Amino acid sequence: MRPNSSAPQPDPTHPPIPLMPRLTWPSLFTALMYAFMYFPIIVLGVYSFNDSRYSASWDGFSLRWYRALFSDRRLLSALQDSLTIAVVAVAISAVLGTLMAIGLARYRFRGKALYRGVSYLPLIIPDIAIAVATLVFLVSMAVPLSLATIIAAHMVFCLAYIAVVVSSRLQRLDPNLEEAALDLGATPTQAMIQVLIPQLAPAIFAGCLLAFVLSMDDLLISSFTAGGGANPLPIEIFSRVRTGVKPDINALSVVLILGSALLAGLAEYVRYRSDRIRQST
Amino acid sequence: MAQTVRAATAAAVTQTQPDVELRQVFKTFGADLAVRQLDLAVQPGEFFSILGPSGCGKTTTLRLIAGFETPTAGDVLIQGANVSAVPAHRRPVNTVFQSYALFDHMTVKDNIAFGLKIRHLAAAQVRDRVGDALRLVRLEPMANRYPAQLSGGQQQRVALARALVNRPAVMLLDEPLGALDQKLRKQMQVELTTLHRQLGITFIMVTHDQEEALALSDRIAVMNNGQIEQIGTPSDIYDRPHTPFVADFIGDTNLLPGRIDEAHPAQVRVTTESGLRVLARAGNMSSNQAVVVSVRPEKINLSLGAAGGNGNCYQGQVSHLMYLGTHLHCIVRLSSGESLTVRQPNRADTPIAVDTPVYVHWAADDCLALEAA
C-alpha cells in the first residue's frame, strides 16, 4: 500500500515555471546588476535626443545632434580612418592568423610550445607596452608614422586574437578530416581550401569580429602610432571630450553602440543558421 | 590433405600479382617502434583483415598503405608499383575512417561527389556515379541531408559510399563498425560482405574484434607488438594457431604451459607444470622443448564417469557455472590444481551443478602444442 499514491505529485522532469518572477533576492540582484551595466548607456541614449546643449536640463526631443553628426566632415573622415584600419588589419590578420593556428596545430617541430606561447603573448602584454614598443621601434627605424603604421600595430593583437579563436576550434576538429580529403585525391592545398577552411569558417568569422571591435575601440596603440595624417575615431572623440562632452558625441556613441549590436546580432544569426542546418533532423 | 590444399593455394598466390604488398616494412615514431618487419601480400578481390589488440600497430599498418605515414624502412607496393614515396592523394586507395571524417559542411551528395569532382569528372558522370553509390548503400532519400542529420549507421554508409564511388583498387577500412551498437554492427557486417562480393574490390580492414574478423575475412593477419604473428584463413587462425598469443587472442582457450616428454611426428606428450600428462597435436618438435598446450573450451567434454580411449582424461570438480542460454560455461578445477574453462551445449542431459565431481576429456587431436613464446 502506498498511502500517497492518489495525491498529485510534482513532475520532476517539468517543474512548473511561474509566469511572473516573484521579487526575491536573486532577482533583485540581477536587476541591480543589469542596471549597473546598462543605466549609463540608457542615459546616454536618452540625452542624445535632448534639444539642449547641456546635459543638465531636458529641453525636449530633437534629432539635431544626429543631423550635426552626419554633417560633421571631420568626424566622418575619422570614422573612415577607423574603418580602413580595422578592415585592412583584420583582413590581413584573418589570413595570417588562420595559417598560424593551422601551422601550430598540424606540424610537429622543435620549440613548438615556445612558439605557441610567444604567438599568444600580445593578449597578455598591456596595450601600453605594445604601444610604446611599437613607437620606439618605428622611430628608431625612421619609419614615418601614418595610417599604415597604425594598421601594422593593430595587426599585432588582431593576429593573436584570431589565432586563439581558430586554434580552439581546430582542437575540437576531427584530425582525420584533412586526411579524408587527401585520401579522396585532393592535394594538400585543395584539402585546406575545400575542407579545413570551411570547417573553420565560423571560428575565423568570430575571431575577425572580435578583432574588428577591438581595433575600432583602440585608442592607446593608435595614438602612439598615428602620424599627422591619420586620425581614427577614438582619438577624435577623446580630443573632443577633453574640452567637455557635447551632445553630438552622445549621438555618435548611440550610433556606435547600435552598429556593434547589429554586428553581434548578425554573427549570432550566422552561427544559429549554420548550427540549425547541420543539427536539425 | 589440408597441407596439400594450402600448398596449392600458395602456388596460386605466387602466380597472380598482389594488390597490396608490404616488404620488410618498419615504422618508428621517435624512439617508439610502431611496426617492424611487416611482410604481407593481399590478393586482388580478397577481404583481408588486420586483427590485434589496441596499440599493436594495426592502424599504423593501414596508414602506411593509405599513404598517411611513410615507412622508416621497407617498401609498400600497390598493384605492383612501389608507392613508398607517393603521397596519399596520388594512391589508388580509399579509406573509411573509424570516425567517418565526413565533411559536415557538405550534403551527403556532395560528400560522395568530393573525390570525383577533385578528379574533374564531367558533371553528368559525377551525377550518375553518385546516384549509383547512393543506391548501393540505400541512402537515396538522404542525398540532400547534412551528415549531422543522419544516424550513426547512415553516416557509416555515407563514408562507405564516399570511398566506393571512386572505384579504388583497394578499400581500406579502419575499425569501420567500431562506433556502432551491437545490433547495427551485425547488420553492417552483412552489408559489408555483400558490398565486397558485388564490387569485387580488395578490402583491407583493421579491427580489434576477432569475431568480426573471423566472420568477414578471407584471410586474417594477427598482429601483436608491431609484428605479424600469423597470417591465414579464419579456420587456420582458429584451429591451427602458430603461437600461444594467437591461440589466446582468437576465441577462448585454455593454455597449459609445460615441457615435451616424447615427440612423435604429429603428436607429442607434454607434462604440464602441475604434472598433468597431455597428448597433443604438434608440428616438428623435439623432446624437452618448452611448449604451451592450447585446448579450446568447446573441445572439452564433461562426464560423470571416466571416459575410455586413449585421449586426455582428468578428474576434477565444477567450481563455477554460468548459464548462457545456448551454452553452459563452466570452470572445472582439476585435482592437479589447474582450472579449465569448459563450454557445454545446453542439453537436457547435462546433469551438472557446482561442486559436482566430473571427468574432463578431449581427444589428442583437439589440442595443440605451441612453442612457448
Side-chain angles (χ1 to χ4, degrees):
Chain A
M1 273 296 278
R2 285 153 67 210
N4 278 338
S5 60
S6 61
Q9 294 288 316
D11 181 357
T13 56
H14 293 283
I17 298 162
L19 287 177
M20 280 290 289
R22 285 190 303 123
L23 190 66
T24 56
W25 282 113
S27 64
L28 194 66
F29 276 129
T30 310
L32 271 175
M33 200 193 70
Y34 277 110
F36 178 75
M37 287 198 296
Y38 289 108
F39 191 64
I41 293 173
I42 292 168
V43 169
L44 180 103
V46 169
Y47 273 100
S48 71
F49 296 107
N50 189 358
D51 198 30
S52 164
R53 172 162 284 278
Y54 305 100
S55 304
S57 62
W58 176 261
D59 288 3
F61 180 85
S62 160
L63 287 175
R64 63 182 279 210
W65 303 117
Y66 286 89
R67 271 195 299 276
L69 183 69
F70 287 110
S71 52
D72 188 334
R73 293 204 166 276
R74 206 176 143 76
L75 215 53
L76 288 180
S77 99
L79 179 67
Q80 195 189 351
D81 275 1
S82 263
L83 285 173
T84 310
I85 293 165
V87 167
V88 174
V90 167
I92 300 174
S93 302
V95 176
L96 296 181
T98 304
L99 291 177
M100 186 160 103
I102 293 173
L104 283 172
R106 285 287 183 266
Y107 300 103
R108 275 181 278 183
F109 50 87
R110 273 173 70 90
K112 177 172 159 173
L114 183 73
Y115 208 91
R116 187 193 291 267
V118 168
S119 60
Y120 301 154
L121 218 51
L123 305 184
I124 307 161
I125 298 177
D127 277 359
I128 185 75
I130 295 177
V132 171
T134 312
L135 178 65
V136 170
F137 173 77
L138 291 173
V139 168
S140 70
M141 300 301 278
V143 179
L145 299 181
S146 66
L147 206 63
T149 52
I150 306 180
I151 291 172
H154 278 210
M155 275 173 54
V156 172
F157 64 83
C158 288
L159 200 62
Y161 273 102
I162 292 173
V164 163
V165 177
V166 174
S167 285
S168 78
R169 164 98 183 144
L170 256 177
Q171 267 158 17
R172 282 180 287 127
L173 223 54
D174 182 351
N176 288 334
L177 276 174
E178 257 182 297
E179 286 176 351
L182 295 175
D183 188 72
L184 294 166
T187 62
T189 315
Q190 284 173 321
M192 194 170 90
I193 292 170
Q194 297 192 27
V195 173
L196 198 58
I197 300 288
Q199 295 278 341
L200 293 177
I204 297 173
F205 185 67
C208 284
L209 212 63
L210 186 65
F212 182 83
V213 170
L214 287 169
S215 167
M216 286 295 286
D217 184 47
D218 174 76
L219 170 66
L220 208 53
I221 295 176
S222 300
S223 59
F224 273 73
T225 50
N231 188 30
L233 202 54
I235 295 182
E236 177 63 27
I237 295 173
F238 188 65
S239 67
R240 286 185 184 201
V241 297
R242 267 189 297 195
T243 57
V245 183
K246 279 197 294 176
D248 57 347
I249 297 296
N250 287 352
L252 177 63
S253 304
V254 170
V255 170
L256 286 179
I257 289 167
L258 287 180
S260 11
L262 210 68
L263 219 57
L266 178 75
E268 194 57 23
Y269 178 69
V270 167
R271 200 185 59 79
Y272 165 76
R273 264 202 39 191
S274 72
D275 273 7
R276 211 180 50 157
I277 286 173
R278 289 176 198 179
Q279 259 137 58
S280 70
T281 41
Chain B
M1 180 67 178
Q3 230 113 42
T4 52
V5 171
R6 255 182 297 162
T9 333
V13 161
T14 47
Q15 278 163 15
T16 57
Q17 184 184 57
D19 251 0
V20 173
E21 208 179 342
L22 300 185
R23 289 186 187 155
Q24 294 288 307
V25 170
F26 288 76
K27 177 69 190 175
T28 57
F29 293 109
D32 295 333
L33 199 55
V35 299
R36 53 187 145 167
Q37 220 180 345
L38 292 185
D39 264 312
L40 62 86
V42 181
Q43 302 308 317
E46 208 174 11
F47 198 130
F48 191 89
S49 291
I50 303 172
L51 176 65
S54 53
C56 72
K58 54 189 192 301
T59 296
T60 305
T61 308
L62 200 76
R63 292 172 60 81
L64 282 162
I65 301 170
F68 304 134
E69 310 284 356
T70 46
T72 312
D75 287 318
V76 178
L77 287 84
I78 295 176
Q79 296 190 318
N82 191 336
V83 295
S84 303
V86 176
H89 63 274
R90 275 192 246 126
R91 294 193 185 190
V93 298
N94 285 114
T95 308
V96 175
F97 293 87
Q98 182 172 15
S99 62
Y100 311 145
L102 297 178
F103 308 136
D104 58 8
H105 61 290
M106 296 180 192
T107 59
V108 166
K109 206 168 60 188
D110 290 340
N111 263 281
I112 298 174
F114 187 88
L116 303 176
K117 284 184 183 161
I118 283 282
R119 294 198 166 89
H120 301 296
L121 259 70
Q125 218 179 343
V126 171
R127 203 173 47 238
D128 288 352
R129 275 168 72 168
V130 169
D132 287 346
L134 279 168
R135 246 190 310 285
L136 200 62
V137 297
R138 293 181 285 108
L139 276 181
E140 292 144 293
M142 306 290 167
N144 292 313
R145 298 265 186 107
Y146 284 87
Q149 299 170 316
L150 304 182
S151 70
Q154 289 169 334
Q155 290 184 12
Q156 148 70 236
R157 296 216 293 269
V158 177
L160 272 170
R162 189 178 66 175
L164 289 170
V165 78
N166 303 293
R167 298 180 188 157
V170 181
M171 278 276 284
L172 305 175
L173 304 115
D174 185 7
E175 303 262 6
L177 312 179
L180 304 177
D181 61 55
Q182 190 62 32
K183 199 168 174 190
L184 213 51
R185 256 177 113 98
K186 289 271 183 279
Q187 199 182 319
M188 283 307 295
Q189 285 181 4
V190 176
E191 290 198 23
L192 265 187
T193 40
T194 314
L195 273 179
H196 176 248
R197 226 173 298 137
Q198 276 179 335
L199 299 167
I201 298 178
T202 308
F203 276 39
I204 302 180
M205 178 177 80
V206 156
T207 180
H208 67 269
D209 182 336
Q210 37 118 345
E211 215 175 295
E212 191 169 289
L214 291 175
L216 301 181
S217 321
D218 295 318
R219 282 194 308 151
I220 300 171
V222 182
M223 284 188 75
N224 185 31
N225 271 328
Q227 274 179 310
I228 293 177
E229 294 257 337
Q230 187 174 356
I231 300 180
T233 64
S235 69
D236 272 342
I237 300 270
Y238 190 79
D239 292 328
R240 289 174 292 281
H242 288 177
T243 64
F245 174 82
V246 175
D248 195 31
F249 191 74
I250 314 293
D252 295 323
T253 196
N254 296 289
L255 293 177
L256 308 166
R259 251 170 216 293
I260 294 180
D261 288 336
E262 279 175 39
H264 303 290
Q267 204 176 58
V268 291
R269 199 171 72 199
V270 177
T271 303
T272 67
E273 281 166 5
S274 61
L276 229 54
R277 305 189 127 207
V278 186
L279 282 174
R281 194 152 53 85
N284 257 338
M285 290 196 168
S286 49
S287 286
N288 211 29
Q289 199 174 348
V291 292
V292 177
V293 175
S294 159
V295 51
R296 301 267 183 209
E298 74 273 15
K299 301 281 167 89
I300 303 177
N301 298 302
L302 284 185
S303 65
L304 296 174
N310 53 2
N312 302 297
C313 183
Y314 312 97
Q315 203 177 3
Q317 204 173 30
V318 177
S319 64
H320 293 278
L321 194 62
M322 269 182 271
Y323 181 81
L324 298 178
T326 57
H327 282 85
L328 292 173
H329 183 93
C330 335
I331 296 173
V332 176
R333 194 164 179 80
L334 301 186
S335 329
S336 57
E338 271 129 336
S339 284
L340 290 183
T341 306
V342 181
R343 233 170 128 92
Q344 289 291 292
N346 183 10
R347 283 196 296 259
D349 62 346
T350 29
I352 302 163
V354 174
D355 290 341
T356 317
V358 289
Y359 286 90
V360 294
H361 50 94
W362 66 89
D365 266 355
D366 281 338
C367 68
L368 195 60
L370 302 164
E371 207 172 319

